[in-house]
Amino acid sequence: MSSKLIRQARHLLFSGLMVSVGLWAMPAQAQVSDAKVNAMLEALRQAAPPNKPNDGMFSQWQVLPGIIPSWTKQCVGRELTPAQFESDATAARNTVACIVRRELDKQYQATRNNETASARNVACWWMTGTTACNSRATATYVQRVVGFYQQQAGRSNPPAQRSSSPQRQSSTQPSQQSTAQSSSSIALVSDNQVAAMVEALRQAAPPNRPNDGMFSQWQVLPNIIPSWSKQCIGQELTPAQFEADATAARTVVSCIMQRELNRQYSANNNNETAAVRGTACWWMTGNATGCSSGATASYVEKVVGFYQQQAQGSRSSQPQSSIARD
């Protein structure tokens, strides 16, 4: 890409993201608050069996070893072994929080923003990999999680001070009315697809130069970094902190890509290439459409090419769970 084209593309990226930041206040598509994620995280921890040596599960959340490398690669930017996951409490919590946020978002969509039903479904999925917990043992576990969740939510979000939807990110936000869908239509992208998209965006980004006004290898604009990092890792980072912490930057971008790829899969009837194209266009302009000519089209095609290279080098992963599978 020529230097002139890079400047043009970066100008378009900046302009599109600035416009779309203003649009973020539109009604959100089942975006759960940090307080709800933290309540669910703590509920799953409290409901987990005691963590015993050599029990085949790891951390206070009792995660099965087979899913740990995939989850940690997606959520903290590096593959951890089960032993590393067990010994690093911060990485374990960040990973589980990342997965819980993803699943709560999906269940809020599936249940039309019914909080109790969403908590129930996430608890069931955590144990079984499905949302059907009709047996006595699974139903009892789910009720325990829901009880712990409600205790935590009551502490963090008193009725008189309900938290509003967080304002974050640079996408053109679809209205809740237009995006509410049946559970059967929600696309569930794999960790490998998210990782391929994250790497494709990194490879397609302009070189990261000092004082260029954008941060990290993904060239993220500074004004969106605090809200994205708060949403995705539970801590507001400054642009300088985001730039300096490569793991946090990758985790945040992965979190945003998980959400946007799911939206684009739903919008494109699970057409992978169209979903990648829409996500790449959104990343540059704040809009999933309109990248059909000029610099934006060239950028999108570049991302799609890198994505396809990455996807071909990895195998699709089936959801597996912690006290069961993802």
Side-chain angles (χ1 to χ4, degrees):
M1 187 183 286
S2 69
S3 59
K4 180 178 179 181
L5 185 57
I6 289 172
R7 287 195 299 273
Q8 183 181 3
R10 289 169 65 185
H11 173 73
L12 287 166
L13 175 61
F14 180 82
S15 300
L17 292 182
M18 285 298 289
V19 168
S20 59
V21 165
L23 295 174
W24 187 252
M26 295 171 67
Q29 175 181 307
Q31 296 297 328
V32 299
S33 69
D34 295 336
K36 289 175 183 174
V37 172
N38 289 333
M40 194 71 208
L41 187 68
E42 184 60 17
L44 291 173
R45 188 191 67 79
Q46 291 183 40
N51 191 15
K52 295 173 181 171
N54 304 315
D55 63 0
M57 295 188 286
F58 296 84
S59 85
Q60 296 179 77
W61 288 273
Q62 294 288 268
V63 180
L64 288 173
I67 200 60
I68 287 171
S70 172
W71 276 4
T72 53
K73 179 67 180 292
Q74 174 193 338
C75 292
V76 299
R78 67 190 191 280
E79 285 190 6
L80 299 182
T81 66
Q84 290 171 323
F85 187 81
E86 177 80 30
S87 64
D88 190 337
T90 299
R93 175 174 282 273
N94 287 344
T95 299
V96 176
C98 164
I99 298 301
V100 164
R101 182 180 294 281
R102 181 190 75 190
E103 295 305 315
L104 271 177
D105 272 342
K106 289 176 185 175
Q107 292 309 318
Y108 264 72
Q109 291 180 56
T111 64
R112 303 297 177 90
N113 295 346
N114 183 314
E115 183 174 7
T116 301
S118 296
R120 192 183 310 280
N121 286 352
V122 171
C124 182
W125 171 87
W126 186 259
M127 171 170 262
T128 69
T130 74
T131 55
C133 285
N134 301 317
S135 72
R136 183 173 180 179
T138 56
T140 299
Y141 169 79
V142 167
Q143 285 306 115
R144 285 190 72 211
V145 173
V146 171
F148 288 135
Y149 173 86
Q150 289 171 338
Q151 290 174 17
Q152 294 295 321
R155 290 175 191 155
S156 63
N157 201 23
Q161 296 181 342
R162 293 208 178 270
S163 61
S164 58
S165 297
Q167 302 223 349
R168 53 184 184 270
Q169 170 214 344
S170 61
S171 76
T172 299
Q173 185 66 35
S175 72
Q176 187 177 38
Q177 200 169 26
S178 66
T179 56
Q181 300 175 14
S182 68
S183 59
S184 62
S185 69
I186 298 172
L188 308 180
V189 299
S190 72
D191 296 342
N192 285 337
Q193 288 169 314
V194 173
M197 192 73 209
V198 169
E199 184 59 19
L201 291 174
R202 187 191 69 78
Q203 291 183 38
N208 190 16
R209 298 190 176 105
N211 304 315
D212 63 0
M214 294 190 284
F215 295 83
S216 85
Q217 296 178 76
W218 289 272
Q219 296 286 269
V220 180
L221 289 171
N223 56 348
I224 203 62
I225 288 170
S227 56
W228 271 7
S229 56
K230 176 71 171 177
Q231 172 194 345
C232 292
I233 62 174
Q235 175 187 1
E236 281 194 9
L237 299 182
T238 66
Q241 290 171 323
F242 187 81
E243 177 81 30
D245 190 336
T247 299
R250 181 175 286 272
T251 301
V252 170
V253 175
S254 296
C255 164
I256 298 302
M257 283 303 98
Q258 178 83 39
R259 185 191 65 203
E260 293 307 316
L261 270 177
N262 271 323
R263 289 179 181 168
Q264 291 307 312
Y265 263 73
S266 295
N268 290 284
N269 296 318
N270 294 352
N271 182 311
E272 183 174 15
T273 301
V276 171
R277 199 181 303 279
T279 302
C281 185
W282 170 85
W283 184 258
M284 171 170 262
T285 70
N287 196 320
T289 60
C291 293
S292 55
S293 63
T296 55
S298 297
Y299 171 80
V300 166
E301 289 309 309
K302 193 174 180 183
V303 173
V304 171
F306 286 134
Y307 175 89
Q308 290 170 340
Q309 291 173 19
Q310 293 294 319
Q312 287 167 4
S314 62
R315 290 175 292 184
S316 296
S317 60
Q318 290 260 340
Q320 199 181 357
S321 124
S322 23
I323 305 183
R325 26 213 128 252
D326 173 337

CSV table of all heavy atoms in Angstrom, one decimal, residues 10-48:
chain,number,residue,atom,x,y,z
A,10,ARG,N,-6.0,5.8,6.7
A,10,ARG,CA,-6.0,6.2,8.1
A,10,ARG,C,-7.0,7.3,8.4
A,10,ARG,O,-7.6,7.4,9.4
A,10,ARG,CB,-4.6,6.5,8.6
A,10,ARG,CG,-3.8,5.2,8.7
A,10,ARG,CD,-2.3,5.5,8.9
A,10,ARG,NE,-2.1,6.1,10.2
A,10,ARG,CZ,-0.9,6.6,10.5
A,10,ARG,NH1,0.2,6.5,9.8
A,10,ARG,NH2,-0.7,7.2,11.7
A,11,HIS,N,-7.0,8.2,7.4
A,11,HIS,CA,-8.0,9.4,7.6
A,11,HIS,C,-9.4,8.8,7.6
A,11,HIS,O,-10.2,9.3,8.4
A,11,HIS,CB,-7.8,10.3,6.4
A,11,HIS,CG,-8.8,11.4,6.4
A,11,HIS,ND1,-8.9,12.4,7.3
A,11,HIS,CD2,-9.9,11.6,5.6
A,11,HIS,CE1,-9.9,13.2,7.1
A,11,HIS,NE2,-10.6,12.7,6.0
A,12,LEU,N,-9.7,7.9,6.7
A,12,LEU,CA,-11.0,7.3,6.7
A,12,LEU,C,-11.3,6.6,8.0
A,12,LEU,O,-12.4,6.6,8.5
A,12,LEU,CB,-11.2,6.4,5.5
A,12,LEU,CG,-11.3,7.1,4.1
A,12,LEU,CD1,-11.1,6.0,3.0
A,12,LEU,CD2,-12.6,7.8,4.0
A,13,LEU,N,-10.3,5.8,8.5
A,13,LEU,CA,-10.5,5.1,9.7
A,13,LEU,C,-10.8,6.1,10.9
A,13,LEU,O,-11.8,5.9,11.6
A,13,LEU,CB,-9.3,4.3,10.1
A,13,LEU,CG,-9.2,3.6,11.4
A,13,LEU,CD1,-10.4,2.6,11.5
A,13,LEU,CD2,-7.9,2.9,11.6
A,14,PHE,N,-10.0,7.1,10.9
A,14,PHE,CA,-10.2,8.1,12.0
A,14,PHE,C,-11.6,8.8,11.9
A,14,PHE,O,-12.4,8.9,12.8
A,14,PHE,CB,-9.1,9.2,11.9
A,14,PHE,CG,-9.3,10.3,13.0
A,14,PHE,CD1,-8.7,10.0,14.2
A,14,PHE,CD2,-9.9,11.5,12.7
A,14,PHE,CE1,-8.9,11.0,15.2
A,14,PHE,CE2,-10.0,12.4,13.7
A,14,PHE,CZ,-9.5,12.2,14.9
A,15,SER,N,-12.0,9.2,10.6
A,15,SER,CA,-13.2,9.9,10.4
A,15,SER,C,-14.4,9.0,10.8
A,15,SER,O,-15.4,9.3,11.4
A,15,SER,CB,-13.4,10.3,9.0
A,15,SER,OG,-12.3,11.2,8.7
A,16,GLY,N,-14.3,7.7,10.3
A,16,GLY,CA,-15.4,6.8,10.5
A,16,GLY,C,-15.6,6.5,12.0
A,16,GLY,O,-16.7,6.4,12.5
A,17,LEU,N,-14.5,6.2,12.7
A,17,LEU,CA,-14.6,5.9,14.1
A,17,LEU,C,-15.1,7.1,14.9
A,17,LEU,O,-15.8,6.9,15.8
A,17,LEU,CB,-13.2,5.4,14.6
A,17,LEU,CG,-12.8,4.1,14.0
A,17,LEU,CD1,-11.4,3.7,14.7
A,17,LEU,CD2,-13.8,3.0,14.3
A,18,MET,N,-14.7,8.3,14.5
A,18,MET,CA,-15.1,9.5,15.3
A,18,MET,C,-16.6,9.6,15.1
A,18,MET,O,-17.3,9.9,16.1
A,18,MET,CB,-14.4,10.7,14.8
A,18,MET,CG,-12.9,10.8,15.2
A,18,MET,SD,-12.8,10.9,17.0
A,18,MET,CE,-13.4,12.6,17.3
A,19,VAL,N,-17.1,9.4,13.9
A,19,VAL,CA,-18.6,9.5,13.7
A,19,VAL,C,-19.3,8.5,14.5
A,19,VAL,O,-20.3,8.7,15.2
A,19,VAL,CB,-18.9,9.4,12.2
A,19,VAL,CG1,-20.4,9.2,12.0
A,19,VAL,CG2,-18.4,10.6,11.4
A,20,SER,N,-18.8,7.2,14.4
A,20,SER,CA,-19.5,6.1,15.1
A,20,SER,C,-19.4,6.2,16.6
A,20,SER,O,-20.3,5.7,17.2
A,20,SER,CB,-19.0,4.8,14.6
A,20,SER,OG,-17.6,4.7,14.9
A,21,VAL,N,-18.4,6.8,17.2
A,21,VAL,CA,-18.4,7.0,18.6
A,21,VAL,C,-19.6,7.8,19.1
A,21,VAL,O,-20.2,7.5,20.1
A,21,VAL,CB,-17.1,7.7,19.1
A,21,VAL,CG1,-17.2,8.2,20.5
A,21,VAL,CG2,-15.9,6.7,18.9
A,22,GLY,N,-19.9,8.8,18.3
A,22,GLY,CA,-21.1,9.6,18.6
A,22,GLY,C,-22.4,8.8,18.5
A,22,GLY,O,-23.4,9.1,19.2
A,23,LEU,N,-22.4,7.7,17.7
A,23,LEU,CA,-23.6,6.9,17.5
A,23,LEU,C,-23.7,5.8,18.6
A,23,LEU,O,-24.7,5.1,18.6
A,23,LEU,CB,-23.5,6.2,16.1
A,23,LEU,CG,-23.6,7.2,14.9
A,23,LEU,CD1,-23.4,6.4,13.6
A,23,LEU,CD2,-25.0,7.9,14.9
A,24,TRP,N,-22.7,5.7,19.4
A,24,TRP,CA,-22.7,4.6,20.4
A,24,TRP,C,-23.8,4.7,21.4
A,24,TRP,O,-24.2,3.7,22.0
A,24,TRP,CB,-21.3,4.5,21.0
A,24,TRP,CG,-21.3,3.2,21.9
A,24,TRP,CD1,-21.3,3.2,23.2
A,24,TRP,CD2,-21.2,1.9,21.4
A,24,TRP,NE1,-21.2,1.9,23.6
A,24,TRP,CE2,-21.2,1.1,22.6
A,24,TRP,CE3,-21.2,1.3,20.1
A,24,TRP,CZ2,-21.1,-0.3,22.5
A,24,TRP,CZ3,-21.1,-0.1,20.1
A,24,TRP,CH2,-21.1,-0.8,21.2
A,25,ALA,N,-24.3,5.9,21.6
A,25,ALA,CA,-25.4,6.1,22.6
A,25,ALA,C,-26.7,5.5,22.1
A,25,ALA,O,-27.6,5.5,22.9
A,25,ALA,CB,-25.6,7.6,22.9
A,26,MET,N,-26.8,5.0,20.9
A,26,MET,CA,-28.0,4.4,20.4
A,26,MET,C,-28.2,3.1,21.2
A,26,MET,O,-27.3,2.5,21.8
A,26,MET,CB,-27.9,4.1,18.9
A,26,MET,CG,-27.8,5.3,18.1
A,26,MET,SD,-27.4,4.9,16.3
A,26,MET,CE,-28.9,4.1,15.9
A,27,PRO,N,-29.5,2.6,21.3
A,27,PRO,CA,-29.7,1.4,22.1
A,27,PRO,C,-28.8,0.2,21.6
A,27,PRO,O,-28.6,0.0,20.5
A,27,PRO,CB,-31.2,1.0,21.7
A,27,PRO,CG,-31.8,2.4,21.3
A,27,PRO,CD,-30.7,3.1,20.6
A,28,ALA,N,-28.3,-0.5,22.6
A,28,ALA,CA,-27.3,-1.5,22.4
A,28,ALA,C,-27.9,-2.9,22.2
A,28,ALA,O,-29.0,-3.2,22.7
A,28,ALA,CB,-26.3,-1.6,23.5
A,29,GLN,N,-27.1,-3.7,21.5
A,29,GLN,CA,-27.6,-5.1,21.3
A,29,GLN,C,-27.1,-6.0,22.4
A,29,GLN,O,-26.1,-6.6,22.4
A,29,GLN,CB,-27.0,-5.6,20.0
A,29,GLN,CG,-27.2,-7.0,19.6
A,29,GLN,CD,-26.6,-7.4,18.4
A,29,GLN,OE1,-26.8,-6.8,17.3
A,29,GLN,NE2,-25.8,-8.5,18.4
A,30,ALA,N,-28.0,-6.1,23.5
A,30,ALA,CA,-27.7,-7.0,24.6
A,30,ALA,C,-26.3,-6.9,25.1
A,30,ALA,O,-25.6,-7.9,25.2
A,30,ALA,CB,-28.0,-8.4,24.2
A,31,GLN,N,-25.8,-5.6,25.4
A,31,GLN,CA,-24.5,-5.5,26.0
A,31,GLN,C,-24.6,-5.4,27.5
A,31,GLN,O,-25.2,-4.5,28.1
A,31,GLN,CB,-23.9,-4.2,25.4
A,31,GLN,CG,-23.7,-4.2,23.9
A,31,GLN,CD,-22.7,-5.2,23.5
A,31,GLN,OE1,-21.8,-5.6,24.2
A,31,GLN,NE2,-22.9,-5.8,22.3
A,32,VAL,N,-24.1,-6.5,28.1
A,32,VAL,CA,-24.2,-6.6,29.6
A,32,VAL,C,-23.2,-5.7,30.3
A,32,VAL,O,-22.1,-5.4,29.7
A,32,VAL,CB,-24.1,-8.0,30.1
A,32,VAL,CG1,-25.1,-8.9,29.4
A,32,VAL,CG2,-22.7,-8.6,29.7
A,33,SER,N,-23.5,-5.2,31.5
A,33,SER,CA,-22.6,-4.4,32.2
A,33,SER,C,-21.5,-5.1,32.9
A,33,SER,O,-21.6,-6.4,33.0
A,33,SER,CB,-23.4,-3.6,33.3
A,33,SER,OG,-23.9,-4.5,34.3
A,34,ASP,N,-20.5,-4.4,33.2
A,34,ASP,CA,-19.4,-5.0,34.0
A,34,ASP,C,-19.9,-5.6,35.3
A,34,ASP,O,-19.4,-6.7,35.7
A,34,ASP,CB,-18.3,-4.0,34.3
A,34,ASP,CG,-17.6,-3.5,33.0
A,34,ASP,OD1,-17.6,-4.2,32.0
A,34,ASP,OD2,-17.1,-2.4,33.1
A,35,ALA,N,-20.8,-5.0,35.9
A,35,ALA,CA,-21.3,-5.5,37.2
A,35,ALA,C,-22.0,-6.8,37.0
A,35,ALA,O,-21.8,-7.8,37.9
A,35,ALA,CB,-22.3,-4.5,37.8
A,36,LYS,N,-22.7,-7.0,35.9
A,36,LYS,CA,-23.4,-8.3,35.7
A,36,LYS,C,-22.3,-9.4,35.4
A,36,LYS,O,-22.5,-10.5,35.8
A,36,LYS,CB,-24.4,-8.2,34.6
A,36,LYS,CG,-25.6,-7.4,35.0
A,36,LYS,CD,-26.5,-7.1,33.8
A,36,LYS,CE,-27.7,-6.2,34.2
A,36,LYS,NZ,-28.6,-5.9,33.1
A,37,VAL,N,-21.3,-9.0,34.6
A,37,VAL,CA,-20.3,-10.0,34.3
A,37,VAL,C,-19.6,-10.4,35.6
A,37,VAL,O,-19.4,-11.6,35.8
A,37,VAL,CB,-19.3,-9.4,33.3
A,37,VAL,CG1,-18.0,-10.3,33.1
A,37,VAL,CG2,-19.9,-9.2,31.9
A,38,ASN,N,-19.2,-9.4,36.4
A,38,ASN,CA,-18.6,-9.8,37.7
A,38,ASN,C,-19.4,-10.6,38.6
A,38,ASN,O,-18.9,-11.5,39.3
A,38,ASN,CB,-18.1,-8.5,38.4
A,38,ASN,CG,-17.0,-7.8,37.6
A,38,ASN,OD1,-16.2,-8.4,36.9
A,38,ASN,ND2,-16.9,-6.5,37.8
A,39,ALA,N,-20.7,-10.3,38.6
A,39,ALA,CA,-21.7,-11.1,39.4
A,39,ALA,C,-21.7,-12.5,38.9
A,39,ALA,O,-21.7,-13.5,39.7
A,39,ALA,CB,-23.1,-10.5,39.4
A,40,MET,N,-21.7,-12.7,37.6
A,40,MET,CA,-21.8,-14.1,37.1
A,40,MET,C,-20.5,-14.8,37.3
A,40,MET,O,-20.4,-16.0,37.7
A,40,MET,CB,-22.0,-14.0,35.6
A,40,MET,CG,-22.4,-15.4,35.0
A,40,MET,SD,-24.1,-15.8,35.5
A,40,MET,CE,-24.0,-17.6,35.4
A,41,LEU,N,-19.4,-14.1,37.2
A,41,LEU,CA,-18.0,-14.7,37.4
A,41,LEU,C,-18.0,-15.2,38.9
A,41,LEU,O,-17.5,-16.3,39.1
A,41,LEU,CB,-17.0,-13.6,37.2
A,41,LEU,CG,-15.5,-13.9,37.2
A,41,LEU,CD1,-15.2,-14.8,36.0
A,41,LEU,CD2,-14.7,-12.6,37.2
A,42,GLU,N,-18.4,-14.4,39.8
A,42,GLU,CA,-18.3,-14.8,41.2
A,42,GLU,C,-19.3,-15.9,41.5
A,42,GLU,O,-19.0,-16.8,42.3
A,42,GLU,CB,-18.6,-13.5,42.1
A,42,GLU,CG,-18.5,-13.8,43.6
A,42,GLU,CD,-17.1,-14.2,44.0
A,42,GLU,OE1,-16.1,-14.1,43.2
A,42,GLU,OE2,-16.9,-14.8,45.1
A,43,ALA,N,-20.5,-15.9,40.9
A,43,ALA,CA,-21.4,-16.9,41.1
A,43,ALA,C,-20.9,-18.3,40.7
A,43,ALA,O,-21.1,-19.3,41.3
A,43,ALA,CB,-22.7,-16.6,40.4
A,44,LEU,N,-20.3,-18.3,39.5
A,44,LEU,CA,-19.7,-19.6,39.0
A,44,LEU,C,-18.6,-20.0,39.9
A,44,LEU,O,-18.4,-21.2,40.1
A,44,LEU,CB,-19.2,-19.4,37.6
A,44,LEU,CG,-20.2,-19.1,36.5
A,44,LEU,CD1,-19.6,-18.8,35.2
A,44,LEU,CD2,-21.1,-20.4,36.3
A,45,ARG,N,-17.8,-19.1,40.4
A,45,ARG,CA,-16.7,-19.5,41.4
A,45,ARG,C,-17.3,-20.1,42.6
A,45,ARG,O,-16.8,-21.1,43.1
A,45,ARG,CB,-15.9,-18.3,41.7
A,45,ARG,CG,-14.6,-18.6,42.5
A,45,ARG,CD,-13.9,-17.3,43.0
A,45,ARG,NE,-14.7,-16.7,44.1
A,45,ARG,CZ,-14.8,-17.1,45.3
A,45,ARG,NH1,-14.1,-18.2,45.7
A,45,ARG,NH2,-15.5,-16.5,46.2
A,46,GLN,N,-18.3,-19.5,43.2
A,46,GLN,CA,-18.9,-20.0,44.4
A,46,GLN,C,-19.6,-21.3,44.3
A,46,GLN,O,-19.6,-22.1,45.2
A,46,GLN,CB,-19.9,-18.9,45.0
A,46,GLN,CG,-19.2,-17.7,45.5
A,46,GLN,CD,-20.2,-16.7,46.1
A,46,GLN,OE1,-21.1,-17.1,46.8
A,46,GLN,NE2,-20.1,-15.4,45.9
A,47,ALA,N,-20.1,-21.5,43.1
A,47,ALA,CA,-20.9,-22.8,42.8
A,47,ALA,C,-20.0,-23.9,42.4
A,47,ALA,O,-20.4,-25.1,42.3
A,47,ALA,CB,-21.9,-22.5,41.8
A,48,ALA,N,-18.7,-23.6,42.1
A,48,ALA,CA,-17.8,-24.7,41.6
A,48,ALA,C,-17.5,-25.7,42.7
A,48,ALA,O,-17.4,-25.3,43.9
A,48,ALA,CB,-16.5,-24.0,41.1
